[in-house]
Amino acid sequence: MRSESISFDTPMKRTIIALLCLVQSLFVIGQDETILNTDSLLADLEILTTTIRDNHPMMYMYTTRARFDNLALQTAMQIKTGVSAPVFYSSISRLISSIGCGHTYAYPTPDLAERMKTIHDLPFEVKFVDSALYVSKAYLKEIEPYVGHAIVNINDVPITRLVTVSLQHISADGLSHAAKAYGFEQNFNFYLNLLLGGPGTLYFETTGGSFSVGFPTDFTKPERQEETTSFQQLPEVPGTVLLTLGDFDAGKQVIKKCFSYMQKQHIENLIIDLRDNEGGNGNIGANLLSYIIDSTLTYYLDKKVTPVRYKEFMTQQEGMIVSNQYVMADSITRSYYFKVKPNRQCNFNGQVFVLTNGGTFSTGAYVASVLKNVAGATMVGQETGGSEYAIGGGVIARLVLPYSKLNVRFPLYKWRFNVTDENSGSGVIPDLIVQPDPKTMFQRPDDARLRVIELIKKYPNS
């Protein structure tokens, strides 16, 4: 830590204090929260920052050493003012989100998670469109009049302020706003609870009027129907198959059947729906690509070789690099490379269209990046939440901070896709951007899919 080298009255320190006041001012002052031991939290922070600096494979790809050190200093100064468990969790989340890795995040402690768990939900959904946050779906009749209207204030706090602070705490690949927005939409209840301190009532002011919700609510959202891997021939456009991939945790046999079916039926157009596909097994993603690419693809997995200084707090490592016969290891750099070969028996050479959004992450983003940059697919929808260039992956380490008991998870390998030389920090940008309409997105046919069907009819495969 470098806090000793900065005198109390420097402009930098006054700036840092102002920033801390902006963040902490959102927390409810009257919360009955225990202030944690300052020296112990500072020790936790030292363990975290040392471990991350030494071992994170994507450190300083999207942030500078100076910026990360400055954020660590801000966190230390905030701890010295006296913080509760929610504020410490918030500070750590903000620090590690600056790395720019969507696979690096902190779990709340069991006690904090219990206090903030989201089993009771807000009775509506929200959606970002052009940086504004809209009520997009109502589960209760009394909230239906506000669907399609932008939220302006919550408990007299401007929504822009709540969003700005919340997004600072959400980890995402690179510089992608799409992933942060998606995370906020999916965990809206959690971030309101974290930042507003679990108020007894939430007052929402929208462009269409105001309403209130008792908090925590007595409402539980219907269980989300997860998309499974499936395919169908679309009746509205001849020679077209829709392959839906909710994740890459399973579905290898369905993928095989899909491409075998398309070969037998002489299918000319393939639509691959990767929206809300948050990843999974990289081998299954590679298997899908083998049916579409026409030359061997090589990607790389890089690992730092720095010894782990706080190994006693690394309690668990999850995942694997890849379980594939084509993996080759470099004994000097501890990097790996992995070859994906075309499947010559059922290789598809027709038109490929890919639907993506901010929930397209990890293996989902890898597949999207290859399809765009190697297979020449037409991308439709919204920017992917996962990076177009590289992601953290392979083996995931778990660091348990000894005093606060926060769990911090981060990857030990950087997965370079090797399909583009430019690392812009963004996700895969669609060729045709289709933004959802918050007023009708749950009531009418799928806009993005309709745009693809229009393209197929207008430009049939020749």
Side-chain angles (χ1 to χ4, degrees):
M1 305 298 297
R2 302 182 182 179
S3 57
E4 293 79 10
S5 64
I6 300 177
S7 65
F8 182 80
D9 199 30
T10 62
M12 178 184 289
K13 194 156 189 177
R14 290 196 295 271
T15 301
I16 290 173
I17 291 173
L19 289 171
L20 295 179
C21 289
L22 172 64
V23 174
Q24 285 192 277
S25 64
L26 283 173
F27 288 87
V28 173
I29 303 300
Q31 289 186 100
D32 184 19
E33 295 288 355
T34 302
I35 300 301
L36 303 180
N37 182 276
T38 296
D39 290 338
S40 298
L41 291 185
L42 289 173
D44 274 4
L45 178 63
E46 171 64 22
I47 292 168
L48 171 65
T49 54
T50 299
T51 303
I52 288 290
R53 286 187 182 107
D54 287 353
N55 297 282
H56 200 294
M58 300 175 71
M59 200 68 192
Y60 310 129
M61 279 184 66
Y62 301 109
T63 189
T64 63
R65 182 183 294 272
R67 179 170 180 265
F68 184 83
D69 289 352
N70 190 38
L71 286 171
L73 174 60
Q74 290 182 34
T75 305
M77 291 177 62
Q78 187 176 29
I79 289 170
K80 289 177 181 179
T81 67
V83 297
S84 61
V87 177
F88 182 67
Y89 166 76
S90 171
S91 300
I92 294 301
S93 295
R94 179 170 174 259
L95 173 64
I96 62 179
S97 73
S98 70
I99 297 169
C101 173
H103 287 86
T104 301
Y105 49 88
Y107 280 114
T109 62
D111 289 344
L112 180 58
E114 179 66 23
R115 186 180 76 81
M116 298 176 61
K117 68 182 181 180
T118 57
I119 188 168
H120 296 303
D121 303 306
L122 291 171
F124 59 92
E125 304 279 359
V126 294
K127 188 72 179 176
F128 275 109
V129 180
D130 295 330
S131 299
L133 189 70
Y134 292 83
V135 179
S136 59
K137 183 177 183 178
Y139 292 104
L140 299 179
K141 194 171 186 62
E142 53 266 35
I143 298 179
E144 288 179 359
Y146 306 99
V147 170
H149 289 281
I151 298 172
V152 180
N153 295 301
I154 303 176
N155 287 18
D156 294 326
V157 179
I159 190 64
T160 51
R161 190 176 176 196
L162 279 167
V163 167
T164 298
V165 174
S166 295
L167 296 188
Q168 292 175 352
H169 297 76
I170 300 174
S171 294
D173 283 354
L175 308 174
S176 172
H177 176 78
K180 288 179 176 284
Y182 183 83
F184 184 75
E185 292 167 358
Q186 300 301 308
N187 299 284
F188 183 50
N189 193 32
F190 176 85
Y191 287 106
L192 288 187
N193 201 349
L194 176 67
L195 296 179
L196 298 179
T201 305
L202 289 171
Y203 298 94
F204 296 90
E205 180 185 343
T206 77
T207 53
S210 302
F211 65 94
S212 63
V213 176
F215 196 76
T217 70
D218 296 324
F219 179 79
T220 301
K221 288 180 183 176
E223 187 172 346
R224 181 180 171 184
Q225 295 297 313
E226 299 289 344
E227 289 281 4
T228 57
T229 299
S230 62
F231 69 92
Q232 59 177 309
Q233 187 163 352
L234 297 182
E236 59 266 46
V237 53
T240 300
V241 160
L242 170 67
L243 173 60
T244 301
L245 297 154
D247 55 48
F248 285 104
D249 292 327
K252 187 175 180 179
Q253 291 304 313
V254 177
I255 293 170
K256 180 180 180 180
K257 289 179 181 178
C258 175
F259 283 91
S260 176
Y261 172 85
M262 291 196 298
Q263 185 182 62
K264 292 175 182 176
Q265 299 296 320
H266 305 291
I267 297 299
E268 298 178 337
N269 307 294
L270 172 62
I271 304 171
I272 301 176
D273 192 345
L274 293 176
R275 290 173 297 182
D276 299 332
N277 184 315
E278 297 181 3
N281 190 325
N283 289 316
I284 297 177
N287 176 255
L288 167 67
L289 293 170
S290 72
Y291 291 101
I292 301 172
I293 58 175
D294 58 12
S295 60
T296 299
L297 173 70
T298 304
Y299 66 76
Y300 297 88
L301 290 138
D302 306 324
K303 186 181 188 300
K304 283 189 173 181
V305 295
T306 310
V308 179
R309 283 189 263 179
Y310 292 105
K311 188 178 291 185
E312 64 269 30
F313 304 120
M314 304 277 280
T315 63
Q316 183 178 338
Q317 294 184 356
E318 302 172 351
M320 58 186 176
I321 302 171
V322 276
S323 56
N324 190 286
Q325 60 179 327
Y326 300 115
V327 173
M328 304 296 288
D330 186 316
S331 60
I332 297 176
T333 64
R334 297 177 70 179
S335 292
Y336 294 80
Y337 58 95
F338 175 34
K339 294 185 180 296
V340 183
K341 298 182 179 180
N343 185 313
R344 299 300 184 189
Q345 291 184 332
C346 294
N347 200 261
F348 180 75
N349 59 6
Q351 292 190 119
V352 179
F353 302 84
V354 184
L355 305 176
T356 62
N357 67 0
T360 308
F361 180 68
S362 193
T363 300
Y366 159 63
V367 169
S369 184
V370 173
L371 290 173
K372 176 181 180 179
N373 290 289
V374 176
T378 301
M379 316 301 290
V380 179
Q382 300 149 59
E383 178 186 357
T384 62
S387 170
E388 182 176 16
Y389 178 79
I391 61 173
V395 178
I396 305 295
R398 184 172 71 150
L399 174 69
V400 180
L401 302 181
Y403 175 69
S404 63
K405 304 303 179 186
L406 279 187
N407 279 262
V408 179
R409 300 194 180 203
F410 65 95
L412 295 178
Y413 289 84
K414 177 175 67 180
W415 181 358
R416 287 185 288 125
F417 304 155
N418 195 34
V419 297
T420 176
D421 294 329
E422 180 183 359
N423 182 15
S424 65
S426 71
V428 179
I429 305 297
D431 301 293
L432 177 61
I433 295 175
V434 180
Q435 289 282 19
D437 185 336
K439 294 182 179 180
T440 58
M441 60 181 293
F442 289 101
Q443 287 85 37
R444 72 181 189 189
D446 185 333
D447 283 348
R449 191 193 301 181
L450 288 177
R451 294 297 296 275
V452 172
I453 291 173
E454 290 173 3
L455 286 174
I456 293 172
K457 289 180 176 178
K458 188 173 182 179
Y459 304 105
N461 193 16
S462 55

